[in-house]
Amino acid sequence: EPLMRQVPIYKVKLVREGTPKVALNNSSDARAFSETLLPEDLDRENFWTIMLNTKQKVIGANLVSVGTLDASLVHPREVFKPAIASNAATIVVAHNHPSGDPTPSREDHELTSRLAEAGRLIGIPVLDNLVLGSTPDGYYYGRSSPDNYTPTLAFSGGQAPPEAGRNSPTDSIRVKRAWAEVFVGVGKLFFGRM
């Protein structure tokens, strides 16, 4: 029997119902939208991915993880899975701190770096990483400027990404591994096996 008949073939079809209406043009817009997903009375950390089209309009939001009082298990694979499936151009991520203090933890900073790198590798930039709390200011911006989203800027520290064409062979291997992880994850998401 030919090898291809022994391997299941998967097809993914995107069906969009409705038209994106909410635009996130800056961190203030992202905060307002995130507050609808993360009300102040949550007793555990919730981590969301917000997917945007090329006009920075919200095309969807996905609850990635519900954690504990002070932690949430988040992996780039789960963050980018819905972004890839929905053909997102960029994403914003947001989570809450049930303590009310939006100051990012060491783990928040590490995750921000991992997501920025994963987004750079697969071509879906992360525009912002918001941490919401219940203090008067109530939020922390992961970017250096809350005024305007510029997809060509990395959201971590406002540093410009490496110029195109300057990728090393190691980057190429990381891209291939990242895509392999994504496709396996998307297959599991839609088909429950792989």
Side-chain angles (χ1 to χ4, degrees):
E1 189 172 347
L3 183 59
M4 285 308 294
R5 291 186 186 188
Q6 298 174 22
V7 177
I9 304 296
Y10 296 99
K11 294 180 182 178
V12 177
K13 182 177 181 181
L14 177 66
V15 178
R16 178 174 295 133
E17 296 178 6
T19 306
K21 293 182 170 81
V22 177
L24 303 185
N25 296 312
N26 52 52
S27 290
S28 297
D29 293 346
R31 175 193 180 189
F33 185 82
S34 297
E35 286 174 338
T36 65
L37 303 171
L38 295 161
E40 283 186 28
D41 62 349
L42 292 173
D43 64 345
R44 292 175 286 171
E45 281 197 13
N46 285 233
F47 191 99
W48 285 84
T49 299
I50 304 164
M51 291 82 69
L52 308 174
N53 66 15
T54 56
K55 302 291 185 187
Q56 294 183 204
K57 290 189 176 182
V58 176
I59 56 174
N62 181 64
L63 178 60
V64 174
S65 175
V66 175
T68 63
L69 180 65
D70 61 355
S72 189
L73 181 61
V74 178
H75 190 279
R77 175 179 52 240
E78 278 72 35
V79 171
F80 286 98
K81 192 184 305 182
I84 291 168
S86 66
N87 292 327
T90 57
I91 65 171
V92 170
V93 295
H95 76 281
N96 65 308
H97 281 178
S99 68
D101 180 4
T103 305
S105 66
R106 180 180 51 81
E107 292 82 6
D108 291 337
H109 287 293
E110 289 171 3
L111 179 62
T112 296
S113 295
R114 288 183 71 202
L115 293 177
E117 176 68 7
R120 187 184 69 77
L121 289 173
I122 62 175
I124 302 176
V126 180
L127 298 181
D128 214 339
N129 181 6
L130 299 174
V131 181
L132 277 65
S134 59
T135 59
D137 286 334
Y139 58 93
Y140 164 81
Y141 294 126
R143 294 185 61 233
S144 60
S145 170
D147 300 328
N148 188 27
Y149 282 155
T150 307
T152 57
L153 292 180
F155 77 112
S156 178
Q159 301 166 346
E163 293 176 28
R166 293 183 57 196
N167 294 341
S168 69
T170 307
D171 284 344
S172 177
I173 291 167
R174 278 190 266 167
V175 168
K176 289 176 185 173
R177 286 183 185 152
W179 276 111
E181 255 189 60
V182 165
F183 285 117
V184 168
V186 170
K188 286 179 182 176
L189 174 70
F190 287 105
F191 306 106
R193 59 179 174 162
M194 282 185 88

